[in-house]
């Protein structure tokens, strides 16, 4: 399953610069809104589901080399967050769905 | 209100009050609340005569049979009688016990237990917890004494409750009656954060507020309380005025004050430190949450002087505290 | 879904005493931001969270949350359990992360029980 599949199946909005998402294969999923937990628990290449939208999420995702961040509940990142994400090559995706629902659908698609 | 729609007995009003409380209790009380703990157990290799001795000594009439930490049966006075009739008092427990034991769960309600007693006609049940560990034993007698005990404990509370707090607004005559609650909130007191809000929510329920109204007020004042704890220099005061037709709540502090109130009200804007964020607060959603819950919200603030947050909830006619429930 | 089933699906352990495991939960909500819970969780939701401080219990009480699941086997301090007992809010700890636990419950048929909020028109 590629990131492109995820974007299509969940109808996610791509907030950062478009790229060839069919070349990215997420290694798994991770959910937490607490940055320290993410730092401790998330794996390289994972998709991170959170409703945090502030600048710090970009640094964490870049550090852990995550495939993408899915920002839930339509939380809106500031321009500074988007700029930084584009700079660092971090993919930001957005949805209106709550985290629980997003996780459930990813799980159904087979992402573990 | 009543969970039991099938009350078929003909009763007087006075009876109804008492009966319904006992019946309510049978739903509220759990097996764990009434069962006997410190269960006497026997092993399958004990002789029936030893069991008889144990029963005599401890004045019980049945005991679970335990082998290697697992319950494999139950032995009762009836089993003893059978053994004695056949002159087999030296037989092993294993040959006279009932092996196929029905158990109850500690978290089952007493009413479930009563149904099981009625359905099976069995006199006692071993009680197990979530992990199937034996934690107690239950007889009908335990239910009776447990319920009586709970009724007694309940009595005083019931007396107070019978005089519903909402009568306040009917019994006291004035042009404008209100009830004022005040709480002092200490800065950085994260451990007790929310306690005042919890008291306020409970007071509203006590006054007869419906669950939705109590929830709205609770959420708004909790966010405001956490703001006092997180941001203020010296803490602050929560002030709640309850009237029959509206609830006014305010938090007042004397610093540090908010530089740009418009910005502070914007979703996602926050001055909270990383520590606070890691506690699950400071995401810049608090004021937005409050706004959603109340009918009117105003903030007055001056840097160096302090902040006053006012919240008002107007009650719908059916929510009014004046109405009796 | 009954709490009993939830405990089984997530391989959880109940931390509070005399918890009624026949209690129904109507849906799930996964969140670590308490304001998010207050804003979005609907009454009688099951809350899955990575936090285990007293504020989680207080937040649950304010938002009428049905039960709290602590993820990654987190064990709250005794005071938190006591507070939950007092306020009659069941606490469960489960040995997996939020992603896995939400996934399992969703697959088992537990719907999401969060309101959609924070739309851009909200300003």
């Amino acid at each position: 399953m590629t990131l492109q599949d995820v974007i299509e199946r969940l109808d996610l909005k791509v907030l950062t610069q478009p790229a060839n998402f069919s070349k990215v294969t997420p290694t798994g999923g991770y959910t937490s809104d607490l940055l320290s937990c993410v730092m401790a628990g998330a794996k390289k290449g994972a998709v991170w589901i959170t409703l945090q939208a502030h600048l710090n999420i970009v640094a964490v995702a870049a550090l852990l080399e995550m495939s993408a961040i899915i920002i839930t509940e339509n939380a809106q990142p500031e321009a500074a967050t988007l700029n930084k994400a584009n700079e660092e090559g971090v993919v930001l995706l957005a949805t209106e769905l709550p985290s629980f629902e997003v996780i459930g659908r990813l799980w159904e698609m087979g992402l573990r | 209100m009543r969970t039991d729609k099938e009350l078929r007995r003909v009763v007087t009003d006075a009876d109804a009050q008492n009966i319904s409380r006992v019946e309510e209790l049978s739903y509220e009380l759990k097996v764990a609340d009434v069962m006997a703990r410190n269960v006497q157990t026997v092993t399958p290799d004990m002789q029936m005569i030893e069991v008889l001795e144990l029963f005599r000594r401890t004045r019980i009439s049945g005991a679970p049979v335990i082998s290697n930490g697992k319950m494999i049966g139950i032995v009762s006075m009836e089993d003893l009688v059978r053994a004695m009739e056949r002159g087999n008092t030296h037989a092993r427990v294993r040959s006279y016990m009932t092996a196929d034991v029905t158990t109850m769960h500690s978290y089952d309600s007493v009413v479930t237990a009563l149904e099981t007693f009625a359905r099976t006609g069995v006199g006692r049940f071993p009680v197990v917890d979530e992990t199937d560990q034996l934690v107690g034993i239950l007889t009908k007698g335990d239910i009776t004494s447990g319920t009586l005990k709970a009724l007694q404990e309940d009595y005083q509370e019931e007396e107070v409750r019978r005089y519903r707090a909402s009568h306040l607004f009917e019994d006291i005559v004035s042009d404008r009656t209100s009830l004022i609650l005040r709480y002092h909130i200490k800065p950085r007191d994260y451990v007790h954060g929310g306690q005042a809000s919890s008291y306020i929510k409970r007071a509203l329920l006590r006054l007869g507020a419906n669950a939705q109204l109590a929830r709205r007020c609770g959420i708004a004042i909790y966010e405001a309380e956490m703001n006092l704890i997180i941001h203020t220099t010296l803490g602050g005061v929560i002030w709640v005025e309850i009237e029959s037709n509206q609830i006014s709540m305010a938090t007042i502090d004397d610093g540090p004050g908010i530089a740009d109130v418009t910005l502070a009200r914007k979703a996602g804007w926050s001055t909270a430190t990383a520590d606070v964020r890691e506690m699950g607060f400071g995401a810049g959603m608090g004021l937005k949450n409050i706004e959603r819950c109340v009918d009117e919200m105003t903030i007055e603030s001056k840097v160096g002087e302090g902040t006053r947050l006012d919240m008002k909830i107007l009650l719908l006619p059916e929510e009014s505290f004046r109405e009796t429930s | 879904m009954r709490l009993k089933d939830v405990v089984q699906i997530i391989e959880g352990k109940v931390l509070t005493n005399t918890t009624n495991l026949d209690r129904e939960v109507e849906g799930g909500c996964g969140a670590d931001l308490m304001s998010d819970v207050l804003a979005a969780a609907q009454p009688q939701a099951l809350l899955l969270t990575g936090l285990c401080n007293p504020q989680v219990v207080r937040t649950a009480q304010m938002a009428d949350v049905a039960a709290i699941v602590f993820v990654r086997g987190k064990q709250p301090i005794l005071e938190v359990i006591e507070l939950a007992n007092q306020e009659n809010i069941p606490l469960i700890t489960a040995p997996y992360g939020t992603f896995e636990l939400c996934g399992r419950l969703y697959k088992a048929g537990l719907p999401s029980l969060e309101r959609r909020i924070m739309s851009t028109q909200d300003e």
Side-chain angles (χ1 to χ4, degrees):
Chain A
M1 182 202 332
T2 69
L3 194 54
Q4 184 62 37
D5 299 332
V6 171
I7 292 168
E8 280 170 20
R9 287 281 284 279
L10 272 75
D11 196 18
L12 302 174
K13 199 155 56 177
V14 180
L15 301 176
T16 41
Q17 285 155 357
N20 190 356
F21 299 123
S22 45
K23 280 206 171 150
V24 183
T25 307
T27 55
Y30 187 86
T31 308
S32 177
D33 303 322
L34 306 173
L35 303 189
S36 56
C37 285
V38 182
M39 298 280 273
K43 303 243 163 21
K44 183 179 166 176
V47 175
W48 174 20
I49 297 98
T50 182
L51 104 144
Q52 293 269 31
H54 63 91
L55 195 58
N56 297 347
I57 60 170
V58 176
V60 171
L63 191 73
L64 296 173
E65 298 172 48
M66 290 178 155
S67 312
I69 305 176
I70 303 180
I71 301 172
T72 59
E73 286 184 38
N74 223 358
Q76 297 293 319
E78 305 247 328
T81 310
L82 292 177
N83 290 342
K84 176 98 173 153
N86 281 327
E87 241 171 66
E88 302 270 352
V90 170
V91 180
L92 297 186
L93 307 168
T95 174
E96 282 184 359
L97 298 172
S99 299
F100 188 91
E101 180 86 28
V102 171
I103 298 162
R105 294 197 193 176
L106 289 173
W107 184 267
E108 271 189 340
M109 287 174 73
L111 195 74
R112 291 291 190 267
Chain B
M1 269 295 272
R2 293 289 312 280
T3 31
D4 175 12
K5 292 196 189 95
E6 302 181 334
L7 184 64
R8 295 181 207 90
R9 277 157 284 177
V10 179
V11 287
T12 66
D13 283 356
D15 288 342
Q17 204 155 18
N18 293 327
I19 288 173
S20 69
R21 187 60 200 133
V22 172
E23 285 189 344
E24 269 173 43
L25 270 176
S26 69
Y27 284 92
E28 281 168 23
L29 285 175
K30 302 289 167 243
V31 167
D33 300 328
V34 297
M35 69 184 185
R37 292 165 194 273
N38 301 325
V39 188
Q40 285 291 343
T41 59
V42 299
T43 62
D45 292 324
M46 273 168 79
Q47 294 179 5
M48 291 303 271
I49 188 86
E50 294 175 87
V51 173
L52 179 63
E53 279 307 309
L54 176 76
F55 282 9
R56 249 187 216 148
R57 205 175 60 242
T58 55
R59 295 166 165 260
I60 57 171
S61 55
V65 184
I66 304 287
S67 171
N68 294 328
K70 272 196 66 180
M71 181 172 57
I72 57 165
I74 192 161
V75 63
S76 69
M77 203 57 105
E78 294 87 81
D79 300 323
L80 269 177
V81 172
R82 273 195 301 128
M84 281 190 289
E85 273 172 3
R86 297 181 199 169
N88 277 351
T89 49
H90 291 281
R92 305 285 170 190
V93 165
R94 90 166 67 245
S95 45
Y96 277 94
M97 69 180 189
T98 309
D100 190 17
V101 192
T102 312
T103 57
M104 281 193 195
H105 284 106
S106 53
Y107 50 78
D108 283 339
S109 64
V110 160
V111 75
T112 312
L114 284 170
E115 280 162 13
T116 314
F117 276 117
R119 195 181 63 242
T120 59
V122 174
R124 73 185 57 69
F125 289 94
V127 181
V128 296
D129 65 7
E130 297 85 4
T131 55
D132 274 337
Q133 289 294 311
L134 180 72
V135 289
I137 196 155
L138 186 74
T139 64
K140 277 189 264 187
D142 294 328
I143 293 184
T144 310
S145 54
T147 310
L148 279 174
K149 192 160 154 267
L151 260 182
Q152 211 167 9
E153 284 170 4
D154 218 48
Y155 184 68
Q156 211 168 0
E157 210 183 336
E158 190 67 22
E159 278 291 281
V160 179
R161 233 172 255 261
R162 198 165 290 166
Y163 188 85
R164 277 198 78 120
S166 54
H167 289 191
L168 194 75
F169 291 102
E170 289 164 355
D171 293 357
I172 295 169
V173 181
S174 87
D175 288 339
R176 187 173 169 184
T177 304
S178 66
L179 176 66
I180 295 182
L181 315 174
R182 292 185 189 81
Y183 303 87
H184 290 271
I185 307 302
K186 295 192 195 120
R188 260 62 70 199
D189 185 9
Y190 296 108
V191 175
H192 297 105
Q195 196 171 63
S197 303
S198 166
Y199 291 146
I200 293 165
K201 186 177 181 188
R202 213 173 294 162
L204 291 172
L205 289 168
R206 189 65 216 290
L207 284 165
N210 67 33
Q212 202 202 350
L213 175 67
R215 188 173 188 266
R216 276 170 70 198
C217 294
I219 290 174
I221 198 65
Y222 179 51
E223 290 280 12
E225 183 182 355
M226 289 313 293
N227 277 344
L228 289 180
I229 292 172
I230 294 166
H231 298 292
T232 57
T233 319
L234 299 169
V237 172
I238 292 180
W239 174 92
V240 180
E241 179 173 13
I242 303 158
E243 292 171 81
S244 64
N245 60 339
Q246 65 177 27
I247 299 166
S248 316
M249 304 190 286
T251 58
I252 303 139
D253 68 70
D254 44 17
I258 304 167
D260 186 340
V261 172
T262 318
L263 192 60
R265 290 177 77 143
K266 223 181 124 205
W269 193 84
S270 172
T271 55
T273 58
D275 290 10
V276 172
R277 283 176 187 269
E278 292 301 294
M279 270 189 292
F281 285 92
M285 299 168 73
L287 290 175
K288 270 267 162 277
N289 262 355
I290 295 174
E291 238 181 309
R292 255 186 226 107
C293 290
V294 302
D295 296 308
E296 287 169 31
M297 177 178 104
T298 53
I299 306 174
E300 287 168 59
S301 189
K302 205 162 183 193
V303 174
E305 287 186 14
T307 303
R308 181 184 172 113
L309 166 71
D310 275 286
M311 298 158 276
K312 186 169 279 184
I313 292 184
L314 305 171
L315 305 187
L316 300 169
E318 65 268 26
E319 290 174 333
S320 156
F321 289 127
R322 207 178 287 279
E323 272 186 26
T324 42
S325 50
Chain C
M1 186 182 288
R2 287 173 312 172
L3 217 44
K4 200 187 276 183
D5 308 319
V6 170
V7 171
Q8 201 196 353
I9 292 162
I10 65 177
E11 298 171 39
K13 191 176 147 233
V14 181
L15 302 172
T16 37
N17 58 32
T18 65
T19 297
N20 176 12
L21 294 180
D22 286 321
R23 184 170 176 172
E24 282 284 329
V25 292
E26 292 176 12
C29 168
D32 299 326
L33 298 182
M34 292 302 109
S35 287
D36 178 34
V37 178
L38 293 169
Q42 307 256 45
Q44 303 316 312
L46 178 75
L47 171 64
L48 296 101
T49 183
L51 286 173
C52 60
N53 55 36
Q55 297 315 321
V56 179
V57 178
R58 284 294 179 211
T59 302
Q61 188 198 358
M62 291 303 151
D64 296 333
V65 160
I68 303 168
V69 175
F70 297 120
V71 308
R72 301 208 160 270
K74 285 180 190 177
Q75 194 79 27
I77 55 169
L78 204 63
E79 282 83 348
V80 174
I81 299 176
E82 274 168 13
L83 183 63
N85 276 328
Q86 187 188 314
E87 302 296 348
N88 201 15
I89 296 169
L91 302 182
I92 300 162
T93 183
Y96 304 100
T98 307
F99 189 84
E100 166 108 20
L101 295 175
C102 292
R104 285 185 180 205
L105 290 168
Y106 184 91
K107 190 127 191 256
L110 191 72
S112 166
L113 201 63
E114 292 178 60
R115 253 185 313 163
R116 292 194 188 178
I117 50 148
M118 289 183 78
S119 66
T120 35
Q121 290 80 26
D122 212 37
E123 297 296 303

